[in-house]
Amino acid sequence: MEKKYYFDIKWVVILAIAGFLVVFQVLPLLYLVYRSFFSTGQFSLEGFKRIYSYSLNWVCLKNTLVTAGLSMVFGVILAFPLAWLVGRTNLYGKKFFRTLFVTTYMVPPYVGAMAWLRLLNPTVGTLNVWIQNLFGLDKAPFNIYSIGGLVWVLTTFYYPYAFITISRAMEKMDPSLEEASRISGASPLGTLFRVTLPLMFPSIVAAALLVFVSAASCYGIPSIIGAPGQIYTVTTRIVDYVYIGSQEGLTDATNLAVFLMGMALFILYISNFVVGKKEYITVSGKSTRPNIVDLGRWRIPITAAVGAFALIVVIIPFASVFMTSVTMNMGKPLTAPGNITFKYWNTIVTRKSILSSGKNSIIAAVWAASMGMVVCLIMAYLLKRTNVKGRRIPDFLITVGSGTPSVVIALALIMTMSGRFGINIYNTMLIMVIAYMIKYMLMGMRTVVSAFSQVSPSLEEAAQISGAGWLRRLRDVMFPLIIPSIVAGWFLIFMPCFYELTMSNLLYSNNTKTLGVELFLYQTYHSQQTASALASGILIAVIVLNFVLNKLTDGKFSI
């Protein structure tokens, strides 16, 4: 019997998306690996031998592993008890603390580096000076330009990754397991260690790995805090090699990038395919409303301790950035006569270069979020509503892109999108938009996939019976039902693109400079007060966007 073949537009769509990811993600990353072994036109390990013959590169590798490893450990140590207190106890102000703890998640990491620079500078740091005067010390108790200072800032800005991951896992855990422990006579603390912690272990490991790879891939914090103290990491070293501009420098950057990419992808594999398979079934068919543990007489002291932590880690750093932005002379107290000024705020809203950078940031972020959500929407439909073969390939590629360090993505695009393979988009806005999409699409993808899972297929089946085609069903049935998730996904892609630094710092030209790059240049080479005003403006913009997201989605979504 002769088989009949029918044209299916789903295949066109999935091939188009897969083709986009192959050309702009797979090809560049594979060429990066190829280039590291064939830099001279034939297979050679000389490039690796050369970069690892420099003692400074070994120091960079050690610093990266040490700072990322310690940030991972301390991040989980902070995140798990905070997630448990906010989600499973009668702690005062739980909603307020939950919002506060994820604030650093939606703030550019380099803004945090600037904040702690103001506080813990060994000579003029506000907090150091205050402690010295209070206790009569001869020298500053803390030095931000150290391994310890770098670990502290990385921890305070990446522990929210673990906090969010662990909190979501706790929300899905079957409370009957903890109830059985309590009925058996176990104390709340005993239940925590004997039931909750073991059940949460896979999620804790996944959260820890996420913090590790994020800290190891970070560029903004090591460049602002590490470089002045001559503490170099792999990311800062890669950027230094790229700036050298020579062929040898590019080869050395490539070889270091391959190491960073390999480490990140290995951790991604462990997290998704090893740890992910060991997740315990903690959600039953019954209600999963969590038990609330009564803290009793410890309620007030623990709330006070959590409040003190939030004050030190979140409120004081951001307040210091704002105070710097209105300080005329940083060598004098803010309260000194005539030391308060708003001229730096006037600068950021009137200077043409800053306004142009702000416009570029908005345009690039809007395009990345809009095009990214189109890809995410179609991919989510293919994943949850069809059985088309190969539908999981683009999803896998999106996940790999998200797990690849930003500096590696940028370097790979520089090497392949400059005309070498017939595509020349170097020094254009398009190359930045593509880089943003590769890195941040996963955030929108997961949001929309979750929304599709909550909508019954019977609604589409009814529309199909009525004669509606695939695109019309998507437009008239699914789109209106999941619009809050689409809006949320769009914002979740837009926000990190709006203030992105690492990729922008390598890909920008004079016409495509963004706010992240502008802020970095002011902080490093020009005016710290102007940089602080710009950082405060970015912080306010992100908080407002998060508020708008919360309102547009009726409180269902926010960062």
Side-chain angles (χ1 to χ4, degrees), residues 113-133:
M114 292 169 54
W116 286 106
L117 204 62
R118 307 288 182 272
L119 293 169
L120 299 181
N121 185 293
T123 55
V124 295
T126 306
L127 191 58
N128 270 333
V129 171
W130 181 77
I131 294 175
Q132 278 183 271
N133 293 335

PDB file of all heavy atoms in Angstrom, residues 113-133:
ATOM      1  N   ALA A 113      28.789  44.541  43.224  1.00  0.00           N
ATOM      2  CA  ALA A 113      30.227  44.737  43.414  1.00  0.00           C
ATOM      3  C   ALA A 113      30.533  46.189  43.756  1.00  0.00           C
ATOM      4  O   ALA A 113      31.345  46.481  44.644  1.00  0.00           O
ATOM      5  CB  ALA A 113      30.967  44.328  42.143  1.00  0.00           C
ATOM      6  N   MET A 114      29.868  47.109  43.080  1.00  0.00           N
ATOM      7  CA  MET A 114      30.046  48.531  43.372  1.00  0.00           C
ATOM      8  C   MET A 114      29.617  48.853  44.794  1.00  0.00           C
ATOM      9  O   MET A 114      30.266  49.633  45.501  1.00  0.00           O
ATOM     10  CB  MET A 114      29.241  49.371  42.382  1.00  0.00           C
ATOM     11  CG  MET A 114      29.754  49.326  40.953  1.00  0.00           C
ATOM     12  SD  MET A 114      28.594  50.078  39.791  1.00  0.00           S
ATOM     13  CE  MET A 114      28.371  51.689  40.540  1.00  0.00           C
ATOM     14  N   ALA A 115      28.493  48.248  45.223  1.00  0.00           N
ATOM     15  CA  ALA A 115      27.973  48.517  46.562  1.00  0.00           C
ATOM     16  C   ALA A 115      28.958  48.095  47.644  1.00  0.00           C
ATOM     17  O   ALA A 115      29.272  48.873  48.558  1.00  0.00           O
ATOM     18  CB  ALA A 115      26.637  47.785  46.748  1.00  0.00           C
ATOM     19  N   TRP A 116      29.462  46.887  47.544  1.00  0.00           N
ATOM     20  CA  TRP A 116      30.382  46.395  48.571  1.00  0.00           C
ATOM     21  C   TRP A 116      31.744  47.072  48.473  1.00  0.00           C
ATOM     22  O   TRP A 116      32.482  47.141  49.462  1.00  0.00           O
ATOM     23  CB  TRP A 116      30.515  44.880  48.471  1.00  0.00           C
ATOM     24  CG  TRP A 116      29.300  44.198  48.996  1.00  0.00           C
ATOM     25  CD1 TRP A 116      28.321  43.583  48.293  1.00  0.00           C
ATOM     26  CD2 TRP A 116      28.908  44.125  50.368  1.00  0.00           C
ATOM     27  NE1 TRP A 116      27.343  43.119  49.131  1.00  0.00           N
ATOM     28  CE2 TRP A 116      27.670  43.426  50.419  1.00  0.00           C
ATOM     29  CE3 TRP A 116      29.468  44.555  51.575  1.00  0.00           C
ATOM     30  CZ2 TRP A 116      27.010  43.167  51.606  1.00  0.00           C
ATOM     31  CZ3 TRP A 116      28.797  44.294  52.754  1.00  0.00           C
ATOM     32  CH2 TRP A 116      27.594  43.613  52.771  1.00  0.00           C
ATOM     33  N   LEU A 117      32.063  47.603  47.295  1.00  0.00           N
ATOM     34  CA  LEU A 117      33.274  48.387  47.145  1.00  0.00           C
ATOM     35  C   LEU A 117      33.195  49.647  48.011  1.00  0.00           C
ATOM     36  O   LEU A 117      34.175  50.046  48.654  1.00  0.00           O
ATOM     37  CB  LEU A 117      33.446  48.772  45.674  1.00  0.00           C
ATOM     38  CG  LEU A 117      34.852  49.096  45.169  1.00  0.00           C
ATOM     39  CD1 LEU A 117      35.753  47.894  45.307  1.00  0.00           C
ATOM     40  CD2 LEU A 117      34.782  49.551  43.716  1.00  0.00           C
ATOM     41  N   ARG A 118      32.015  50.257  48.045  1.00  0.00           N
ATOM     42  CA  ARG A 118      31.819  51.460  48.866  1.00  0.00           C
ATOM     43  C   ARG A 118      31.909  51.126  50.361  1.00  0.00           C
ATOM     44  O   ARG A 118      32.399  51.929  51.146  1.00  0.00           O
ATOM     45  CB  ARG A 118      30.436  52.071  48.605  1.00  0.00           C
ATOM     46  CG  ARG A 118      30.098  52.344  47.180  1.00  0.00           C
ATOM     47  CD  ARG A 118      30.863  53.526  46.588  1.00  0.00           C
ATOM     48  NE  ARG A 118      30.443  53.767  45.226  1.00  0.00           N
ATOM     49  CZ  ARG A 118      30.970  53.193  44.162  1.00  0.00           C
ATOM     50  NH1 ARG A 118      31.974  52.335  44.311  1.00  0.00           N
ATOM     51  NH2 ARG A 118      30.550  53.459  42.951  1.00  0.00           N
ATOM     52  N   LEU A 119      31.457  49.945  50.719  1.00  0.00           N
ATOM     53  CA  LEU A 119      31.363  49.586  52.139  1.00  0.00           C
ATOM     54  C   LEU A 119      32.662  49.036  52.712  1.00  0.00           C
ATOM     55  O   LEU A 119      33.032  49.340  53.852  1.00  0.00           O
ATOM     56  CB  LEU A 119      30.241  48.562  52.347  1.00  0.00           C
ATOM     57  CG  LEU A 119      28.821  49.063  52.095  1.00  0.00           C
ATOM     58  CD1 LEU A 119      27.852  47.879  52.073  1.00  0.00           C
ATOM     59  CD2 LEU A 119      28.397  50.062  53.156  1.00  0.00           C
ATOM     60  N   LEU A 120      33.369  48.203  51.934  1.00  0.00           N
ATOM     61  CA  LEU A 120      34.514  47.471  52.480  1.00  0.00           C
ATOM     62  C   LEU A 120      35.842  47.822  51.829  1.00  0.00           C
ATOM     63  O   LEU A 120      36.798  47.049  51.921  1.00  0.00           O
ATOM     64  CB  LEU A 120      34.259  45.961  52.361  1.00  0.00           C
ATOM     65  CG  LEU A 120      33.038  45.427  53.115  1.00  0.00           C
ATOM     66  CD1 LEU A 120      32.924  43.914  52.935  1.00  0.00           C
ATOM     67  CD2 LEU A 120      33.097  45.774  54.590  1.00  0.00           C
ATOM     68  N   ASN A 121      35.912  48.964  51.183  1.00  0.00           N
ATOM     69  CA  ASN A 121      37.209  49.433  50.711  1.00  0.00           C
ATOM     70  C   ASN A 121      38.151  49.545  51.910  1.00  0.00           C
ATOM     71  O   ASN A 121      37.777  50.098  52.940  1.00  0.00           O
ATOM     72  CB  ASN A 121      37.047  50.797  50.034  1.00  0.00           C
ATOM     73  CG  ASN A 121      38.343  51.296  49.415  1.00  0.00           C
ATOM     74  OD1 ASN A 121      39.296  51.604  50.124  1.00  0.00           O
ATOM     75  ND2 ASN A 121      38.365  51.376  48.097  1.00  0.00           N
ATOM     76  N   PRO A 122      39.370  49.006  51.826  1.00  0.00           N
ATOM     77  CA  PRO A 122      40.248  48.959  53.011  1.00  0.00           C
ATOM     78  C   PRO A 122      40.701  50.322  53.529  1.00  0.00           C
ATOM     79  O   PRO A 122      41.196  50.417  54.651  1.00  0.00           O
ATOM     80  CB  PRO A 122      41.448  48.142  52.525  1.00  0.00           C
ATOM     81  CG  PRO A 122      41.411  48.248  51.042  1.00  0.00           C
ATOM     82  CD  PRO A 122      39.976  48.361  50.660  1.00  0.00           C
ATOM     83  N   THR A 123      40.518  51.378  52.736  1.00  0.00           N
ATOM     84  CA  THR A 123      40.955  52.706  53.204  1.00  0.00           C
ATOM     85  C   THR A 123      39.789  53.648  53.499  1.00  0.00           C
ATOM     86  O   THR A 123      39.792  54.331  54.519  1.00  0.00           O
ATOM     87  CB  THR A 123      41.882  53.361  52.153  1.00  0.00           C
ATOM     88  OG1 THR A 123      41.208  53.392  50.883  1.00  0.00           O
ATOM     89  CG2 THR A 123      43.175  52.596  52.031  1.00  0.00           C
ATOM     90  N   VAL A 124      38.777  53.676  52.602  1.00  0.00           N
ATOM     91  CA  VAL A 124      37.680  54.632  52.796  1.00  0.00           C
ATOM     92  C   VAL A 124      36.316  53.965  52.831  1.00  0.00           C
ATOM     93  O   VAL A 124      35.290  54.653  52.753  1.00  0.00           O
ATOM     94  CB  VAL A 124      37.705  55.706  51.688  1.00  0.00           C
ATOM     95  CG1 VAL A 124      38.953  56.558  51.778  1.00  0.00           C
ATOM     96  CG2 VAL A 124      37.576  55.063  50.298  1.00  0.00           C
ATOM     97  N   GLY A 125      36.275  52.643  52.939  1.00  0.00           N
ATOM     98  CA  GLY A 125      34.993  51.952  52.978  1.00  0.00           C
ATOM     99  C   GLY A 125      34.134  52.402  54.150  1.00  0.00           C
ATOM    100  O   GLY A 125      34.612  52.442  55.293  1.00  0.00           O
ATOM    101  N   THR A 126      32.884  52.728  53.884  1.00  0.00           N
ATOM    102  CA  THR A 126      31.999  53.271  54.921  1.00  0.00           C
ATOM    103  C   THR A 126      31.893  52.349  56.123  1.00  0.00           C
ATOM    104  O   THR A 126      32.018  52.786  57.281  1.00  0.00           O
ATOM    105  CB  THR A 126      30.591  53.519  54.338  1.00  0.00           C
ATOM    106  OG1 THR A 126      30.700  54.341  53.175  1.00  0.00           O
ATOM    107  CG2 THR A 126      29.698  54.212  55.364  1.00  0.00           C
ATOM    108  N   LEU A 127      31.665  51.075  55.877  1.00  0.00           N
ATOM    109  CA  LEU A 127      31.508  50.118  56.969  1.00  0.00           C
ATOM    110  C   LEU A 127      32.824  49.914  57.711  1.00  0.00           C
ATOM    111  O   LEU A 127      32.851  49.839  58.954  1.00  0.00           O
ATOM    112  CB  LEU A 127      30.993  48.787  56.421  1.00  0.00           C
ATOM    113  CG  LEU A 127      30.529  47.752  57.449  1.00  0.00           C
ATOM    114  CD1 LEU A 127      29.418  48.322  58.330  1.00  0.00           C
ATOM    115  CD2 LEU A 127      30.055  46.487  56.745  1.00  0.00           C
ATOM    116  N   ASN A 128      33.908  49.844  56.975  1.00  0.00           N
ATOM    117  CA  ASN A 128      35.230  49.699  57.607  1.00  0.00           C
ATOM    118  C   ASN A 128      35.557  50.889  58.500  1.00  0.00           C
ATOM    119  O   ASN A 128      36.041  50.731  59.628  1.00  0.00           O
ATOM    120  CB  ASN A 128      36.307  49.550  56.527  1.00  0.00           C
ATOM    121  CG  ASN A 128      36.558  48.102  56.149  1.00  0.00           C
ATOM    122  OD1 ASN A 128      36.340  47.191  56.954  1.00  0.00           O
ATOM    123  ND2 ASN A 128      37.003  47.874  54.927  1.00  0.00           N
ATOM    124  N   VAL A 129      35.313  52.100  57.995  1.00  0.00           N
ATOM    125  CA  VAL A 129      35.597  53.312  58.775  1.00  0.00           C
ATOM    126  C   VAL A 129      34.744  53.354  60.031  1.00  0.00           C
ATOM    127  O   VAL A 129      35.223  53.702  61.130  1.00  0.00           O
ATOM    128  CB  VAL A 129      35.356  54.577  57.915  1.00  0.00           C
ATOM    129  CG1 VAL A 129      35.432  55.837  58.768  1.00  0.00           C
ATOM    130  CG2 VAL A 129      36.365  54.641  56.776  1.00  0.00           C
ATOM    131  N   TRP A 130      33.465  52.970  59.898  1.00  0.00           N
ATOM    132  CA  TRP A 130      32.553  52.990  61.046  1.00  0.00           C
ATOM    133  C   TRP A 130      33.011  52.003  62.126  1.00  0.00           C
ATOM    134  O   TRP A 130      33.023  52.330  63.318  1.00  0.00           O
ATOM    135  CB  TRP A 130      31.136  52.650  60.580  1.00  0.00           C
ATOM    136  CG  TRP A 130      30.129  52.666  61.681  1.00  0.00           C
ATOM    137  CD1 TRP A 130      29.554  53.760  62.265  1.00  0.00           C
ATOM    138  CD2 TRP A 130      29.580  51.522  62.347  1.00  0.00           C
ATOM    139  NE1 TRP A 130      28.667  53.383  63.243  1.00  0.00           N
ATOM    140  CE2 TRP A 130      28.664  52.004  63.320  1.00  0.00           C
ATOM    141  CE3 TRP A 130      29.748  50.144  62.211  1.00  0.00           C
ATOM    142  CZ2 TRP A 130      27.942  51.151  64.155  1.00  0.00           C
ATOM    143  CZ3 TRP A 130      29.026  49.299  63.040  1.00  0.00           C
ATOM    144  CH2 TRP A 130      28.136  49.797  63.997  1.00  0.00           C
ATOM    145  N   ILE A 131      33.402  50.786  61.707  1.00  0.00           N
ATOM    146  CA  ILE A 131      33.869  49.780  62.672  1.00  0.00           C
ATOM    147  C   ILE A 131      35.187  50.219  63.310  1.00  0.00           C
ATOM    148  O   ILE A 131      35.392  50.032  64.513  1.00  0.00           O
ATOM    149  CB  ILE A 131      34.023  48.404  61.976  1.00  0.00           C
ATOM    150  CG1 ILE A 131      32.655  47.881  61.528  1.00  0.00           C
ATOM    151  CG2 ILE A 131      34.673  47.393  62.926  1.00  0.00           C
ATOM    152  CD1 ILE A 131      32.721  46.591  60.728  1.00  0.00           C
ATOM    153  N   GLN A 132      36.079  50.819  62.517  1.00  0.00           N
ATOM    154  CA  GLN A 132      37.342  51.303  63.069  1.00  0.00           C
ATOM    155  C   GLN A 132      37.118  52.364  64.148  1.00  0.00           C
ATOM    156  O   GLN A 132      37.742  52.330  65.212  1.00  0.00           O
ATOM    157  CB  GLN A 132      38.202  51.911  61.946  1.00  0.00           C
ATOM    158  CG  GLN A 132      38.988  50.898  61.136  1.00  0.00           C
ATOM    159  CD  GLN A 132      39.864  51.563  60.100  1.00  0.00           C
ATOM    160  OE1 GLN A 132      39.437  51.816  58.970  1.00  0.00           O
ATOM    161  NE2 GLN A 132      41.089  51.860  60.478  1.00  0.00           N
ATOM    162  N   ASN A 133      36.218  53.304  63.861  1.00  0.00           N
ATOM    163  CA  ASN A 133      35.924  54.358  64.844  1.00  0.00           C
ATOM    164  C   ASN A 133      35.220  53.804  66.071  1.00  0.00           C
ATOM    165  O   ASN A 133      35.460  54.257  67.196  1.00  0.00           O
ATOM    166  CB  ASN A 133      35.062  55.448  64.192  1.00  0.00           C
ATOM    167  CG  ASN A 133      35.809  56.208  63.107  1.00  0.00           C
ATOM    168  OD1 ASN A 133      37.034  56.273  63.142  1.00  0.00           O
ATOM    169  ND2 ASN A 133      35.086  56.776  62.162  1.00  0.00           N
TER     170      ASN A 133
END
